[in-house]
Amino acid sequence: MNIDREKISPMMKQYLEMKDKYQDCVLFFRLGDFYEMFFDDALRVSKALELTLTGRDCGLEERAPMCGIPYHASDMYIKKLIDMGFKVAVCEQLTDPAETKGIVVRDVIRVVTAGTITDSSMLDDGSNNYICSIYFNEKEKSCAVASADISTGEAYLSTFEGKDFESGIINELSRCRPAEIIISEDFFSLKNVSDFVKVRLQCTVTLRDGECFLSEERKAYIKEVFNVDDIKKLGISENGCDISAVCGLFDYIRDTQKTNVSRFTSIELLSGDYFMGLDLNARRNLELTETIRNKERKGSLFWVLDSTKTSMGKRLLKNQIEQPLKSPARIIERLDAVEELYRKSVILGNLRDFLERVYDIERLMTKVMYKTANPRDLKALSSTAQQIPMIKQELEKLENSKLLKKYNSDISTLDEIVNLIENAINDEPPVSVKDGGVIKNGFNEQLDGLRHTMTHGKEIIDGIEQREKESTGIKNLKIGFNRVFGYYLEVTRSYYDLVPENRWIRKQTLANSERFITEELKNAENSILGAKDRALSLEADIFAEVRDFLAGKLAQVQKTASAIASVDVLCSLAEVSLRNNYVKPDITIDGAIEIKSGRHPVVELMLKDDVFVPNDIYIDKKSDRMSIITGPNMSGKSTYMRQTALIVLMAQMGCFVPADSARISVVDKIFTRVGASDDLTAGQSTFMVEMSEVSDILKNATPDSLVILDEVGRGTSTYDGVSIAKAVAEHICTSRKLGCKTLFATHYHELITLENELDGVKNYSISVVKSGSGIRFLRKIIRGGIDQSYGIDVAKLAGLPNKVVERARELLSEMEKERENGFSAVSPENDNEQISFGSLNRESALNMLEKTNISELTDSECRELLEKMSSLVKDA
């Protein structure tokens, strides 16, 4: 909107000057009890929030478009705008309008963006609100991702390099799901990451100048934030992409929060050495924190395991589900802690009762640090601290867990905080300090005096009146009050001669009386009339001192909060394990996974009328590397494979598992290729998505990985699909190429022959019983493959009309007869486009021979190769 600034009013000129500084934001401009928006902001926001659009005289011929919101309800409107993708700059009045001549001084006190929200009322209690900074060094082909949750004080740093580093960045972003990402121009060179952010995350992206990531001043600020004298003490390099990402992140936080507050006490360096690798597909397909279909919490693993009592514990549990451990020692340490709580259920119950009374002290401390905490927030902090001695008392009874002992030692009783708050703050304080009544009587002598003056003002005036009567002898002396003179002494004409002229000052003469004041009366007036304002001001100062004292205890409170959250998670896992009859898994390093009567943790709870059928599994890195699982649709193949992956994941996050017994050898990564759908937003078909996912698995899996493959190759023609599925299976199962533990579900019965062709392959199937013209799924995994798909029977179960089902049976029967008589189901004109399994096998034998250097093989390996080739040719 073009505006002639020479003609506009001074106040509107002030608005436009402020708006120039924050052009990418909606400017909330404080006017009295409202935040007002003008011109383009008013037009956009009035439409977005359905506010009444009005106008204001601004010196121009036309009134300036205007809309506004009450300042006390601003949080609600800010949250709505943030959710719509806006940023909001809050411009406050910094001087009192009543005491200011001319224009009130105003300035922006904070900028609220999707990633910089600190008010817990705008956030989900059970989820972190991350903001990420991505810095890419194109010359060195290295990248770093720094992430933080301003509301809790958590900060993380990951670095990526090598050929496929973009997939690592995507996996990290899919884990933390940032609300906002800070980038520099170089970010756009990361095409795959850029596409992922645009299509999948759909979060706020803020482009910053390169200087924000690199300057020496910003490096000095990082030292200030974390209270260190050397960047290296944080585990960060002085000139790498890691320090650049951290600088970019905290420079943006400082710019938006308008303060140098050191809310963060540490930054955690994330490494693939510590946590199991889970890519986006694995998180989504295993439905770790939300369901695929409806994006709901119910139906996810998080829904099953979440019995936490605190918001801090809920957030930590979510992170632990998405970051299972890789170290056997750390896994066993967690499992031992869960076992200790599991066995001592009375102590577990007591702990959970005390934890239920614990507030979100991580986010409360953020409000303390940013000076936005109100009196009730401080009481909530004190209330939590009062539960801590009981929590520590119960933890002391758990002697057999080193981890629980450590957490108990990390938890401080916060006695100083409790004593100060309970002595200083009233038991039921108002929300705002401005309302008064926050500080307890007896805490501050000066405040007590002001309150006494406020409540005993009449007694003070009556006392002065009585003393003056006695000293002057004026019996009908009265003290009155008006707005012009304040308090005054009134004497009738008959007593004029008794007036002490040396002490009394004449103020007004009336027809039958005179009015006087004294120094004592004036002082009393000033005390009485100014006591309330001075008391409110003093209360605000005392409250600020209390809040600042608490801010000095940040590190102590943060450490305590972290330990309490960890205890809450362990209690939740123990409670869920008791409730759902889980068992403690044995953690091994022999490469085998053996589960007896395993159950799907989610499906068994979702079933209402049916009983879940448990299944065994044994898979290792030797003779049982790959399980080929055949069976009809809806029979339970996918559930079986997913439950295996979930049981392994639960074990490695330190949780008991749904089984009669489990022996789990730690895996470094879990990959899933389960189901597929057209990714139209990315311009990819079902088959293209499927092949891309398989490609990622083949590139990134290791011999220590667990791979789940469901229906590979089904998105194309039958022969192409079989060829691809078989080639993928061969590649994964071959020790020299990959040789990782794999569950491979398929409808291609041709893959059953792999058991005889490849070492390490075993066939399994879902047991099915035919009854009359239909089938019944037993949901039980049995040894051996099946060569029937039961597709028509499944179609009947799905509700296809009987006429269609019968016609399908007729067509199937005809095709089977043609096959028996030697006729091809493929039309003659297409013969050249399709290949037979005979020719496919012969070609496989030739390819095997071409790729083999005979001189490098031993005699036994040569015989093994000859046997495989002979088998392929005979089958042809």
Side-chain angles (χ1 to χ4, degrees):
M1 184 177 289
N2 293 323
I3 302 167
D4 187 349
R5 301 199 178 193
E6 296 298 324
K7 296 181 180 179
I8 61 174
S9 64
M11 188 277 290
M12 200 59 74
K13 187 174 292 186
Q14 184 187 44
Y15 169 84
L16 291 174
E17 288 173 354
M18 206 64 63
K19 179 64 182 175
D20 288 342
K21 298 178 183 177
Y22 299 92
Q23 294 182 15
D24 62 338
C25 301
V26 171
L27 184 64
F28 274 26
F29 193 74
R30 182 72 178 269
L31 284 176
D33 291 338
F34 285 82
Y35 286 118
E36 304 288 4
M37 286 141 278
F38 301 100
F39 300 112
D40 290 340
D41 278 359
L43 295 174
R44 288 188 299 161
V45 173
S46 62
K47 184 176 181 180
L49 299 181
E50 298 182 353
L51 301 176
T52 301
L53 184 66
T54 61
R56 183 185 180 95
D57 292 332
C58 61
L60 302 175
E61 292 183 7
E62 294 185 9
R63 303 180 81 201
M66 179 182 81
C67 68
I69 59 166
Y71 84 95
H72 57 79
S74 62
D75 287 348
M76 175 181 68
Y77 292 102
I78 290 174
K79 180 66 169 70
K80 288 181 178 179
L81 288 172
I82 295 299
D83 289 343
M84 293 176 185
F86 291 96
K87 297 179 181 180
V88 179
V90 181
C91 182
E92 279 290 354
Q93 297 175 165
L94 302 183
T95 56
D96 187 346
E99 299 177 0
T100 303
K101 293 181 180 180
I103 299 297
V104 174
V105 177
R106 294 181 176 87
D107 202 357
V108 170
I109 61 166
R110 63 187 170 120
V111 177
V112 186
T113 68
T116 59
I117 299 172
T118 58
D119 195 325
S120 55
S121 65
M122 299 187 198
L123 298 168
D124 177 5
D125 288 343
S127 298
N128 285 100
N129 189 60
Y130 288 115
I131 179 171
C132 287
S133 167
I134 302 176
Y135 185 79
F136 174 52
N137 187 322
E138 195 162 9
K139 291 182 180 179
E140 298 180 4
K141 297 298 179 186
S142 62
C143 185
V145 178
S147 56
D149 184 343
I150 301 177
S151 70
T152 64
E154 298 167 67
Y156 303 96
L157 177 63
S158 303
T159 54
F160 306 93
E161 55 188 4
K163 292 182 179 179
D164 201 30
F165 68 90
E166 285 196 61
S167 65
I169 300 169
I170 291 172
N171 291 340
E172 172 60 12
L173 294 178
S174 69
R175 179 195 69 81
C176 65
R177 287 275 168 178
E180 186 173 3
I181 296 177
I182 313 303
I183 61 171
S184 64
E185 285 284 354
D186 290 338
F187 170 81
F188 297 106
S189 301
L190 303 171
K191 189 177 184 306
N192 293 336
V193 179
S194 180
D195 290 344
F196 172 77
V197 170
K198 181 180 178 182
V199 176
R200 296 290 188 190
L201 289 185
Q202 297 176 333
C203 62
T204 300
V205 177
T206 301
L207 179 63
R208 301 274 282 177
D209 188 80
E211 183 66 15
C212 299
F213 297 82
L214 298 171
S215 75
E216 290 299 320
E217 183 273 331
R218 288 168 177 84
K219 292 179 184 178
Y221 176 57
I222 299 304
K223 296 178 187 177
E224 181 185 335
V225 168
F226 293 105
N227 193 28
V228 295
D229 56 9
D230 189 346
I231 290 288
K232 292 180 180 178
K233 290 183 178 180
L234 298 172
I236 303 174
S237 67
E238 291 187 338
N239 297 300
C241 61
D242 51 355
I243 183 60
S244 296
V246 173
C247 285
L249 176 63
F250 285 94
D251 181 70
Y252 184 72
I253 292 173
R254 177 173 56 174
D255 278 1
T256 55
Q257 301 305 303
K258 304 298 177 185
T259 176
N260 287 350
V261 170
S262 298
R263 171 61 184 92
F264 299 86
T265 57
S266 63
I267 184 166
E268 183 177 346
L269 307 183
L270 300 180
S271 168
D273 296 334
Y274 297 127
F275 303 113
M276 176 197 290
L278 289 168
D279 63 11
L280 173 64
N281 294 319
R283 289 190 174 92
R284 184 180 65 227
N285 292 330
L286 296 178
E287 298 182 308
L288 298 184
T289 58
E290 64 182 17
T291 59
I292 296 175
R293 179 171 295 180
N294 299 320
K295 305 297 181 184
E296 293 177 347
R297 178 175 170 272
K298 184 176 182 180
S300 67
L301 181 63
F302 180 50
W303 169 70
V304 174
L305 299 183
D306 181 24
S307 188
T308 54
K309 293 295 185 179
T310 70
S311 298
M312 301 178 294
K314 194 182 297 288
R315 292 192 296 270
L316 180 61
L317 174 62
K318 198 172 186 179
N319 286 336
Q320 288 189 0
I321 288 173
E322 294 200 316
Q323 289 184 308
L325 301 172
K326 280 172 57 177
S327 164
R330 293 179 66 196
I331 296 169
I332 292 170
E333 194 175 43
R334 276 193 196 169
L335 287 169
D336 288 345
V338 173
E339 182 180 32
E340 180 78 345
L341 292 163
Y342 183 97
R343 290 183 173 178
K344 297 179 179 178
S345 56
V346 174
I347 296 175
L348 172 62
N350 292 339
L351 278 171
R352 285 169 57 78
D353 287 343
F354 294 133
L355 288 167
E356 196 164 20
R357 302 168 204 163
V358 170
Y359 288 89
D360 194 344
I361 55 177
E362 284 181 334
R363 285 182 171 165
L364 285 175
M365 281 306 293
T366 295
K367 297 175 79 172
V368 168
M369 297 303 295
Y370 287 108
K371 303 185 186 300
T372 59
N374 62 45
R376 292 184 184 176
D377 291 331
L378 266 56
K379 290 298 288 187
L381 185 58
S382 173
S383 175
T384 293
Q386 289 176 60
Q387 304 304 314
I388 290 177
M390 283 85 83
I391 292 173
K392 288 180 68 67
Q393 187 176 343
E394 294 299 319
L395 288 173
E396 285 170 4
K397 301 174 185 176
L398 303 169
E399 301 173 350
N400 298 322
S401 168
K402 292 181 180 179
L403 190 59
L404 288 171
K405 285 182 178 180
K406 175 186 178 299
Y407 290 147
N408 192 24
S409 66
D410 287 346
I411 296 173
S412 168
T413 54
L414 306 180
D415 292 332
E416 289 181 290
I417 289 175
V418 174
N419 292 335
L420 177 59
I421 294 175
E422 291 307 305
N423 287 328
I425 310 297
N426 275 319
D427 292 337
E428 295 184 6
V431 175
S432 175
V433 181
K434 295 179 181 178
D435 296 332
V438 172
I439 305 301
K440 277 186 176 181
N441 290 327
F443 184 74
N444 183 278
E445 186 176 344
Q446 184 182 354
L447 180 61
D448 291 344
L450 290 171
R451 285 175 172 169
H452 182 271
T453 300
M454 289 165 57
T455 55
H456 298 84
K458 188 175 183 305
E459 295 176 15
I460 294 171
I461 297 301
D462 289 345
I464 293 174
E465 181 181 295
Q466 187 60 37
R467 286 194 298 275
E468 290 295 343
K469 282 181 178 181
E470 293 173 357
S471 67
T472 61
I474 302 174
K475 295 180 180 180
N476 66 350
L477 175 68
K478 292 181 180 179
I479 293 181
F481 178 83
N482 66 32
R483 293 183 179 180
V484 178
F485 300 121
Y487 288 103
Y488 55 83
L489 298 157
E490 186 170 281
V491 181
T492 58
R493 188 181 295 274
S494 58
Y495 287 98
Y496 281 177
D497 59 326
L498 297 179
V499 173
E501 295 184 5
N502 61 327
R503 290 194 301 111
W504 290 20
I505 302 168
R506 182 179 281 104
K507 291 297 292 183
Q508 188 179 23
T509 302
L510 303 177
N512 296 313
S513 63
E514 295 261 1
R515 291 177 176 175
F516 301 86
I517 62 170
T518 67
E519 185 176 351
E520 182 185 16
L521 186 61
K522 206 63 187 172
N523 289 337
E525 176 188 309
N526 291 335
S527 295
I528 294 167
L529 298 183
K532 183 176 181 180
D533 291 339
R534 291 198 298 276
L536 287 175
S537 177
L538 183 56
E539 273 201 272
D541 291 343
I542 295 170
F543 180 79
E545 288 179 16
V546 172
R547 190 177 56 202
D548 290 345
F549 175 84
L550 300 180
K553 300 294 181 181
L554 173 63
Q556 186 182 31
V557 176
Q558 191 77 6
K559 187 175 183 180
T560 297
S562 177
I564 289 175
S566 298
V567 170
D568 190 21
V569 169
L570 293 172
C571 286
S572 177
L573 298 180
E575 173 66 23
V576 171
S577 298
L578 275 167
R579 186 192 310 153
N580 297 334
N581 194 29
Y582 293 171
V583 299
K584 181 183 180 183
D586 292 326
I587 304 300
T588 67
I589 55 173
D590 61 0
I593 295 173
E594 183 177 17
I595 301 167
K596 296 293 185 181
S597 296
R599 314 185 303 276
H600 193 295
V602 179
V603 175
E604 73 167 343
L605 296 184
M606 297 290 281
L607 290 176
K608 294 181 180 179
D609 301 324
D610 295 333
V611 176
F612 188 89
V613 178
N615 275 296
D616 299 345
I617 184 171
Y618 179 83
I619 193 166
D620 59 25
K621 295 168 66 177
K622 298 177 182 177
S623 59
D624 289 87
R625 291 194 296 276
M626 176 177 286
S627 297
I628 302 287
I629 305 166
T630 49
N633 283 321
M634 297 171 56
S635 60
K637 300 191 302 297
S638 295
T639 299
Y640 174 70
M641 294 192 299
R642 282 189 173 104
Q643 84 182 33
T644 302
L646 287 174
I647 288 173
V648 171
L649 186 146
M650 289 170 66
Q652 289 191 220
M653 63 172 283
C655 181
F656 283 20
V657 299
D660 286 353
S661 67
R663 191 164 60 87
I664 307 296
S665 188
V666 173
V667 303
D668 63 352
K669 302 172 185 177
I670 292 179
F671 293 95
T672 64
R673 160 74 285 270
V674 181
S677 60
D678 287 352
D679 192 352
L680 299 178
T681 54
Q684 294 183 327
S685 67
T686 299
F687 184 65
M688 186 64 180
V689 170
E690 179 184 332
M691 290 299 99
S692 295
E693 293 177 3
V694 172
S695 174
D696 287 340
I697 293 172
L698 299 184
K699 288 178 183 175
N700 297 300
T702 74
D704 293 319
S705 300
L706 174 62
V707 174
I708 306 297
L709 297 173
D710 192 5
E711 306 297 350
V712 170
R714 68 178 177 179
T716 185
S717 69
T718 301
Y719 289 154
D720 283 353
V722 171
S723 303
I724 292 170
K726 193 168 186 179
V728 168
E730 289 174 352
H731 181 92
I732 292 177
C733 194
T734 305
S735 298
R736 285 176 296 177
K737 295 178 179 178
L738 190 50
C740 64
K741 295 183 282 290
T742 306
L743 300 178
F744 196 134
T746 182
H747 278 110
Y748 296 138
H749 307 116
E750 295 80 4
L751 267 62
I752 295 174
T753 60
L754 286 174
E755 180 174 357
N756 300 321
E757 299 168 8
L758 293 176
D759 180 43
V761 177
K762 293 288 189 296
N763 287 324
Y764 294 88
S765 60
I766 305 291
S767 182
V768 177
V769 174
K770 294 205 70 170
S771 56
S773 60
I775 59 171
R776 183 163 61 91
F777 302 132
L778 299 183
R779 313 288 184 191
K780 201 70 179 174
I781 292 287
I782 58 176
R783 186 74 171 83
I786 59 172
D787 57 3
Q788 278 186 278
S789 66
Y790 299 100
I792 295 175
D793 297 292
V794 173
K796 183 178 179 180
L797 287 175
L800 239 62
N802 288 332
K803 289 183 179 179
V804 175
V805 172
E806 292 306 316
R807 176 57 179 157
R809 291 191 192 280
E810 291 174 8
L811 292 171
L812 177 62
S813 178
E814 291 174 7
M815 286 187 277
E816 286 176 342
K817 287 179 180 177
E818 288 178 354
R819 192 179 305 134
E820 290 173 4
N821 295 330
F823 295 107
S824 171
V826 181
S827 57
E829 58 268 26
N830 288 335
D831 275 350
N832 292 332
E833 297 180 15
Q834 301 286 355
I835 59 173
S836 69
F837 283 110
S839 62
L840 181 64
N841 285 346
R842 282 192 293 272
E843 187 176 341
S844 296
L846 288 173
N847 287 338
M848 190 181 296
L849 186 60
E850 288 174 357
K851 293 178 181 178
T852 304
N853 188 345
I854 301 296
S855 62
E856 294 180 357
L857 300 181
T858 63
D859 291 345
S860 61
E861 287 175 332
C862 284
R863 282 194 296 272
E864 182 182 348
L865 175 65
L866 187 59
E867 287 173 3
K868 288 181 179 179
M869 292 175 61
S870 176
S871 175
L872 287 171
V873 173
K874 286 178 182 178
D875 289 342

